[in-house]
Amino acid sequence: MANPIRQKEIDERVGKFADKFWGAFQMTENGRVKSTILLYSFCLCWVLLAVYGGCFALLNPWLDGLLSGSALPVWLISLVEALAPAAAGTAAASLVWLLPGDKRLLPAGYLWLTLLMLACLIGLIMLMGWENAGLVLQFFGMFVLAPLALGLSSSLLAYYLYWKKSPVPKIRHGLGKGSENL
């Protein structure tokens, strides 16, 4: 049997965390969003989804027609049909990096997209059952894993290089009254 006091403490912690998380999406007194990075990156993840969907919809029929008559193994054809649209989508999505503003936006958008795709994977496996999990995982690996791996890794690498190159702000001492004692 579970300890009711312990369960109450856990429920309170989860409730506080949920309130704090959803509070980031609420407005402040002056009508602004508390966390713009959360809101903008969530919207960006839907744009990323559309970009990758468009790349797969445009490139896969062309690649399939080009590679279907070749003597290449099926696994190599599948790999090319997964990686080529994913690379094109990642290149198109990387244009967001050129926009002015917060450079954390693109990696955060990919993190949202990863969370959404994991929720979709879990939902698909639950709906289709464990018997068809292999088919779901094959679809997930071909159309979801390649874009997420390429996009998330490239955006995190770009942000890391940007972060390493950005100058560290200098702390100036002695600017106020009483700074003689520092």
Side-chain angles (χ1 to χ4, degrees), residues 105-176:
L105 188 62
L106 191 59
Y110 275 111
L111 289 175
W112 272 115
L113 190 60
T114 303
L115 290 174
L116 287 173
M117 292 301 112
L118 284 176
C120 287
L121 175 66
I122 291 168
L124 275 173
I125 289 176
M126 289 175 58
L127 284 173
M128 295 188 69
W130 287 106
E131 309 85 45
N132 299 322
L135 180 65
V136 171
L137 291 175
Q138 182 181 4
F139 172 81
F140 184 80
M142 186 169 177
F143 294 110
V144 177
L145 197 58
L148 283 180
L150 283 175
L152 188 59
S153 62
S154 68
S155 68
L156 287 175
L157 178 65
Y159 181 71
Y160 176 74
L161 294 175
Y162 169 78
W163 176 72
K164 289 292 275 188
K165 194 171 101 174
S166 66
V168 177
K170 294 181 181 179
I171 300 173
R172 298 185 342 192
H173 295 290
L175 293 177

Side-chain angles (χ1 to χ4, degrees), residues 7-178:
Q7 187 63 38
K8 184 178 177 185
E9 290 175 1
I10 292 172
D11 290 344
E12 287 176 3
R13 286 184 191 166
V14 170
K16 285 180 184 178
F17 175 77
D19 289 342
K20 193 175 185 180
F21 176 77
W22 290 114
F25 291 100
Q26 294 176 347
M27 302 287 185
T28 61
E29 299 84 35
N30 58 1
R32 294 188 177 205
V33 179
K34 287 183 181 177
S35 177
T36 55
I37 188 80
L38 278 177
L39 183 63
Y40 291 163
S41 62
F42 181 72
C43 294
L44 179 62
C45 88
W46 293 101
V47 173
L48 294 174
L49 185 64
V51 166
Y52 282 113
C55 285
F56 274 95
L58 292 174
L59 292 178
N60 266 0
W62 178 74
L63 284 172
D64 191 44
L66 184 70
L67 298 174
S68 64
S70 68
L72 296 172
V74 175
W75 68 268
L76 186 59
I77 292 173
S78 296
L79 186 67
V80 168
E81 288 180 355
L83 289 179
T90 300
S94 295
L95 294 175
V96 171
W97 190 260
L98 300 176
L99 296 174
D102 197 348
K103 298 299 182 188
R104 299 175 298 171
L105 188 62
L106 191 59
Y110 275 111
L111 289 175
W112 272 115
L113 190 60
T114 303
L115 290 174
L116 287 173
M117 292 301 112
L118 284 176
C120 287
L121 175 66
I122 291 168
L124 275 173
I125 289 176
M126 289 175 58
L127 284 173
M128 295 188 69
W130 287 106
E131 309 85 45
N132 299 322
L135 180 65
V136 171
L137 291 175
Q138 182 181 4
F139 172 81
F140 184 80
M142 186 169 177
F143 294 110
V144 177
L145 197 58
L148 283 180
L150 283 175
L152 188 59
S153 62
S154 68
S155 68
L156 287 175
L157 178 65
Y159 181 71
Y160 176 74
L161 294 175
Y162 169 78
W163 176 72
K164 289 292 275 188
K165 194 171 101 174
S166 66
V168 177
K170 294 181 181 179
I171 300 173
R172 298 185 342 192
H173 295 290
L175 293 177
K177 233 179 171 182

